[in-house]
């Protein structure tokens, strides 16, 4: 057994919020007996509908504590609380040469702390073949959708990035488009 120091961010009890030294975001710690009650409710949910609501209510209370605790400690939530589809807006758009597309995705992913890899790139290159536009989600510290529109017979792509309103991210995306477009000349 290893003993470590953790940050206790919420009051002691059956459910609390802690941060482990090697993790960026805090986690929810649930006492074993409390967790077993949640597990039993989940098992029962498979049989009857009322327990589904009770389980959802219990989990919502835990998530509310987590969100409140992070807010009290000025730690951003690692997820969004707004309804994504209803709250998105165009953050940036521009034209790039096709060879710059992967670099664009890698850099934007870095802004989001998202690990863009070869499987992402394969999905994008497959998705844009033979269709006018392809949407690809990037989910990290923010949620973005990148629409790629291949221009007929040209080496250019048009890109539109949508997501929750975020001025800092908007500025970074505009700058990225400026840099990549400038490099083309």
């Amino acid at each position: 057994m290893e003993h470590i120091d953790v940050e206790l961010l919420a009051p002691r009890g059956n459910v609390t919020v802690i941060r482990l030294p090697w993790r960026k975001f805090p986690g929810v710690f649930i006492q074993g007996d409390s967790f077993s009650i949640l597990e039993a409710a989940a098992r029962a949910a498979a049989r009857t509908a009322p327990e589904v609501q009770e389980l959802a209510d219990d989990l919502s209370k835990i998530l509310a504590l987590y969100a409140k605790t992070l807010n009290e400690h000025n730690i951003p939530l690692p997820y969004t609380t707004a309804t994504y589809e209803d709250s998105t807006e165009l953050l940036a758009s521009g034209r790039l040469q096709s060879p710059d597309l992967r670099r664009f995705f890698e850099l934007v992913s870095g802004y989001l702390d998202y690990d863009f890899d070869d499987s992402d790139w394969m999905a994008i290159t497959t998705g844009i073949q033979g269709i006018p536009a392809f949407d690809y989600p990037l989910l990290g510290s923010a949620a973005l959708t990148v629409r790629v529109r291949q221009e007929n017979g040209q080496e250019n792509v048009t890109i539109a990035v949508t997501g929750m309103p975020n001025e800092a991210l908007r500025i970074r995306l505009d700058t990225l488009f400026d840099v990549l477009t400038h490099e083309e000349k």
Side-chain angles (χ1 to χ4, degrees), residues 101 104-105 124 127-128 131-136 146-150 157-160:
L101 187 58
F104 174 84
F105 270 98
I124 292 163
I128 62 176
I131 62 171
F134 175 72
D135 291 346
Y136 195 74
V146 180
R147 172 164 283 192
V148 179
R149 185 177 300 275
Q150 190 92 34
V157 291
T158 302
I159 298 175

Side-chain angles (χ1 to χ4, degrees), residues 1 11 33 42-43 51 63 72 76 78 85 87 89-90 99-100 119 128 136-137 149 151 154 156 179:
M1 179 184 332
D33 55 346
R43 241 180 316 111
E51 276 77 319
L63 196 58
E72 289 171 356
E85 292 80 9
S87 304
E89 65 180 41
L90 180 66
D100 290 327
S119 64
I128 62 176
Y136 195 74
R149 185 177 300 275
E151 297 182 17
Q154 301 204 5
N156 293 328
V179 168

Side-chain angles (χ1 to χ4, degrees), residues 1-80:
M1 179 184 332
E2 180 179 345
H3 292 273
I4 60 170
D5 291 326
V6 299
E7 287 181 75
L8 177 64
L9 302 175
R12 292 176 173 92
N14 286 337
V15 179
T16 191
V17 179
I18 62 172
R19 181 172 21 208
L20 299 171
W22 57 85
R23 298 294 302 198
K24 179 177 179 181
F25 291 103
V28 175
F29 173 81
I30 302 172
Q31 281 296 124
D33 55 346
S34 298
F35 188 80
S36 71
I37 293 167
L38 290 174
E39 189 273 338
R43 241 180 316 111
R47 296 187 299 271
T48 59
E51 276 77 319
V52 172
Q53 186 59 51
E54 183 179 337
L55 175 61
D57 291 345
D58 289 344
L59 294 176
S60 293
K61 289 175 189 173
I62 294 168
L63 196 58
L65 170 65
Y66 183 75
K68 177 181 177 281
T69 302
L70 267 62
N71 184 50
E72 289 171 356
H73 292 273
N74 296 318
I75 300 169
L77 291 175
Y79 57 87
T80 182

